[in-house]
């Protein structure tokens, strides 16, 4: 009331003013507290462990690091209490927040994906409602405006290669390639229209400049030279500990997952911890090995993560996809997640990232291995296809395979099911499935398999 009365008085005294408001307004600014130089995009609380020694180095250089977790990691055991399922997820979120705060990462987001214990990236993406999760990840990229994204490698290797890890990598790549696209999730970019706006978000486009991966594949030597490596033995000037030890201190909060191991760490002195951290033991003091994904600024794959980064925003750059392969005649191909990755790498210009030369997987002893196969008829006559298999010792076909009849244009997806040997082995065997049409071999699908004592279901 008072202000309007003053304004009215002013108008009486100064009648030629007010026809035009000459005050200057600035464009609305994003919240600088949310800005990150590097954004970590992962699946579960504890996934940061593989790179936390490097994140600590970035923090010591005054760089801002933020993290986003696609799930709460609720699908495991609980070594601390009776809480399971969503309650265990709540406990793990708490552990992670304490751990990251100790490391120096204050901005951590949890999204709504469900922990999906399988090795199949497609199951994780489906269980996370792929489109909704992508919208959430792109929102975090547009809020945090990172120059660099670090995430899990979207590729399948023998090892504890979690489908959720791969799905986090897939979403991170998709967000890298589309957070700068004005046509993608435009409600996030739209100008808020109401005082109590709940729908339109007022964000700006954001194009990150580089993306790097890390992997938990059993053989990580195969990634040597595929990206920069960061030794962890230097002493942090702010924490007065070697970086591997900073990572170990961060890890100590993950008690629901690793209670007995963490209690063992607590019982060791500095010298014993250093011995345990060696490459021949638990490997804490080995370098952090990153895998180069792609970069929009000049530089080499093994150069420093921040080398060549341009300050400020970067123009949207649509990836140039590799040409789609043309199909002709009758063919057999591997299906499932392996088929997906060929399309994914092609669409996102990632053909150079590490991939197994022959598709590979690790499965548990005494279980079922599914080999997904696609039969195609891109010819112009109906065809009957006969499949035969060659199996490593101890594997057996669960059911005899019928003959498959395909008319022109058919794509026939099927699963060849095998029982795995009763005992685990360090050997990697090769499953081969050959296809014949009209008495002539038309091709074969191969899968290298290691039989493990346990691990995630396929
Ligand atoms: Zn994980």
């Amino acid at each position: 009331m008072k202000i309007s009365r003053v304004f009215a008085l002013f108008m009486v005294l100064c009648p030629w003013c007010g026809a035009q408001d000459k005050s200057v307004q600035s464009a609305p600014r994003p919240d600088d507290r949310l800005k990150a130089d590097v954004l970590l995009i992962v699946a579960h609380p504890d996934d940061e462990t593989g790179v936390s020694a490097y994140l600590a180095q970035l923090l010591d250089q005054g760089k801002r690091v933020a993290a986003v977790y696609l799930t709460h990691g609720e699908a495991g055991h609980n070594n601390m209490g009776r809480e399971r399922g969503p309650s265990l997820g709540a406990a793990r979120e708490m552990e992670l927040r304490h751990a990251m705060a100790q490391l120096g990462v204050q901005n951590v987001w949890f999204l709504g994906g469900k922990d999906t214990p399988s090795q199949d990236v497609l199951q994780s993406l489906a269980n996370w409602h792929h489109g909704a999760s992508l919208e959430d990840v792109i929102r975090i990229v547009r809020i945090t405006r990172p120059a660099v994204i670090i995430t899990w490698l979207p590729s399948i290797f023998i090892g504890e290669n979690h489908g959720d890890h791969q799905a986090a990598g897939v979403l991170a790549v998709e967000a890298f390639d589309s957070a700068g696209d004005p046509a993608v999730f435009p409600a996030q970019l739209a100008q808020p229209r109401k005082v109590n706006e709940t729908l339109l978000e007022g964000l700006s486009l954001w194009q990150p400049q580089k993306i790097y991966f890390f992997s938990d594949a059993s053989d990580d030597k195969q990634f040597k030279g595929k990206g920069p490596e960061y030794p962890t033995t230097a002493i942090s000037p702010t924490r007065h500990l070697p970086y591997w030890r900073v990572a170990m201190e961060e890890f100590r909060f993950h008690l629901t997952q690793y209670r007995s191991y963490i209690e063992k760490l607590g019982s060791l002195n500095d010298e014993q911890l250093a011995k345990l951290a060696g490459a021949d033991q638990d490997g804490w003091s080995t370098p952090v090995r990153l895998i180069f994904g792609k970069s929009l600024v000049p530089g080499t794959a093994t150069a420093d993560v921040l080398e060549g980064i341009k300050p400020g925003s970067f123009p949207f750059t649509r990836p140039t996809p590799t040409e789609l392969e043309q199909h002709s005649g009758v063919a057999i191909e591997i299906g499932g997640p392996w088929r997906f990755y060929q399309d994914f790498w092609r669409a996102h210009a990632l053909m150079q990232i590490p991939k197994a030369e022959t598709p590979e997987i690790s499965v548990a002893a005494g279980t079922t291995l599914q080999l997904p196969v696609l039969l195609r008829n891109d010819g112009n006559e109906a065809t009957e296809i006969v499949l035969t298999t060659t199996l490593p010792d101890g594997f057996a076909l669960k059911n005899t395979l019928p003959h498959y009849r395909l008319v022109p244009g058919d794509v026939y997806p099927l699963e060849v099911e095998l029982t795995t040997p009763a005992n685990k082995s360090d050997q990697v065997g090769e499953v081969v499935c050959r296809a014949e049409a009209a008495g002539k071999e038309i091709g074969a699908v191969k899968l290298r398999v290691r039989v493990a004592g346990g691990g995630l279901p396929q």
Side-chain angles (χ1 to χ4, degrees):
M1 284 298 279
K2 228 185 232 166
I3 288 167
S4 61
R5 223 181 291 144
V6 169
F7 185 66
L9 181 65
F10 177 75
M11 291 301 287
V12 170
L13 296 175
C14 181
W16 60 89
C17 304
Q20 199 184 352
D21 182 355
K22 294 225 175 86
S23 65
V24 177
Q25 294 202 354
S26 301
R29 307 286 315 150
D31 185 339
D32 199 46
R33 297 170 306 165
L34 308 178
K35 171 84 177 102
D37 298 301
V38 173
L39 178 65
L40 179 72
I41 300 179
V42 288
H44 313 117
D46 87 342
D47 282 1
E48 73 287 350
T49 308
V51 293
S52 54
Y54 171 60
L55 300 182
Q57 294 175 35
L58 287 172
L59 292 159
D60 277 352
Q61 293 161 26
K63 303 300 175 198
R64 290 172 287 184
V65 177
V68 53
Y69 288 76
L70 269 298
T71 83
H72 285 76
E74 70 276 12
H77 51 269
N78 185 351
N79 291 324
M80 293 302 287
R82 66 184 183 189
E83 299 79 6
R84 299 293 301 275
S87 298
L88 175 59
R92 290 199 169 157
E93 174 175 349
M94 180 274 294
E95 290 176 338
L96 186 276
R97 287 188 184 282
H98 288 302
M100 291 297 259
Q102 157 143 332
L103 187 67
V105 178
Q106 306 299 337
N107 292 354
V108 175
W109 284 273
F110 277 83
L111 304 181
K114 298 274 176 264
D115 194 343
T116 311
S118 95
Q119 298 188 59
D120 185 347
V121 60
L122 299 174
Q123 291 188 23
S124 297
L125 289 170
N127 203 18
W128 295 358
H129 305 288
H130 189 164
S133 278
L134 179 60
E135 182 174 8
D136 289 341
V137 174
I138 287 179
R139 177 179 293 111
I140 301 295
V141 170
R142 286 170 172 171
I143 289 174
T144 55
R145 296 163 280 137
V148 176
I149 289 175
I150 298 178
T151 186
W152 284 111
L153 180 67
S155 194
I156 306 176
F157 285 96
I158 286 175
E160 183 275 298
N161 201 350
H162 206 302
D164 285 350
H165 294 175
Q166 298 171 46
V170 165
L171 289 167
V173 167
E174 290 175 339
F176 183 97
D177 283 341
S178 50
D181 185 341
V184 172
F185 300 121
Q188 291 182 359
L189 305 165
Q191 179 185 345
R193 297 173 65 190
K194 300 173 188 163
V195 174
N196 55 353
E197 182 64 66
T198 58
L199 300 173
L200 309 180
E201 302 181 44
L203 296 177
S204 294
L205 297 169
W206 189 259
Q207 175 64 65
Q209 297 174 44
K210 290 186 176 184
I211 185 165
Y212 291 88
F213 305 117
F214 62 104
S215 170
D216 58 1
S218 304
D219 170 22
D220 92 319
K221 286 185 207 74
Q222 62 190 315
F223 306 130
K224 199 166 169 50
K226 303 285 184 190
E229 273 192 32
Y230 293 93
T232 60
T233 47
I235 305 294
S236 162
T238 60
R239 308 152 206 259
H240 313 294
L241 287 172
Y243 283 105
W244 63 262
R245 190 65 193 273
V246 175
M248 189 185 265
E249 296 305 313
E250 192 267 1
F251 180 78
R252 287 187 194 218
F253 290 88
H254 294 302
L255 283 161
T256 54
Q257 298 186 69
Y258 308 104
R259 181 179 183 171
S260 57
Y261 183 75
I262 292 164
E263 284 174 353
K264 179 176 123 186
L265 295 180
S267 71
L268 301 178
N269 63 30
D270 287 355
E271 202 180 316
Q272 291 166 322
L273 286 174
K275 191 159 179 284
L276 177 94
D280 54 336
Q281 290 204 34
D282 294 356
W284 286 96
S285 58
T286 57
V288 172
R289 183 169 285 161
L290 296 179
I291 300 161
F292 176 75
K294 56 181 165 176
S295 171
L296 303 178
V297 293
T300 62
T302 52
D304 179 59
V305 163
L306 296 173
E307 190 175 301
I309 292 295
K310 304 272 186 282
S313 60
F314 196 87
F316 170 52
T317 309
R318 202 181 289 282
T320 309
T322 311
E323 288 287 306
L324 272 175
E325 61 188 296
Q326 296 301 315
H327 297 285
S328 62
V330 183
I332 180 172
E333 294 171 1
I334 195 158
W338 290 281
R339 173 72 248 166
F340 159 70
Y341 273 128
Q342 287 167 25
D343 295 326
F344 175 75
W345 296 324
R346 189 167 26 236
H348 293 278
L350 283 176
M351 295 306 285
Q352 87 298 346
I353 67 164
K355 46 190 83 81
E357 239 167 75
T358 301
E360 61 180 38
I361 196 163
S362 172
V363 286
T367 56
T368 298
L369 168 70
Q370 289 186 310
L371 172 60
V373 168
L374 278 184
L375 304 177
R376 319 180 55 100
N377 184 353
D378 296 290
N380 40 29
E381 279 172 30
T383 308
E384 199 167 281
I385 298 178
V386 180
L387 298 183
T388 54
T389 54
T390 309
L391 307 178
D393 283 350
F395 284 79
L397 202 55
K398 273 184 110 168
N399 304 300
T400 49
L401 298 169
H403 294 194
Y404 300 93
R405 183 180 156 77
L406 279 76
V407 299
D410 271 355
V411 178
Y412 195 143
L414 60 111
E415 300 284 338
V416 176
E417 292 200 324
L418 309 167
T419 52
T420 65
N423 299 311
K424 67 173 187 166
S425 161
D426 290 334
Q427 304 295 316
V428 177
E430 192 170 84
V431 170
V432 184
C433 178
R434 284 188 184 77
E436 268 181 29
K440 250 178 60 188
E441 182 168 328
I442 55 164
V445 159
K446 294 178 182 170
L447 183 62
R448 295 175 71 241
V449 186
R450 194 181 69 188
V451 179
L456 287 167
Q458 192 187 353

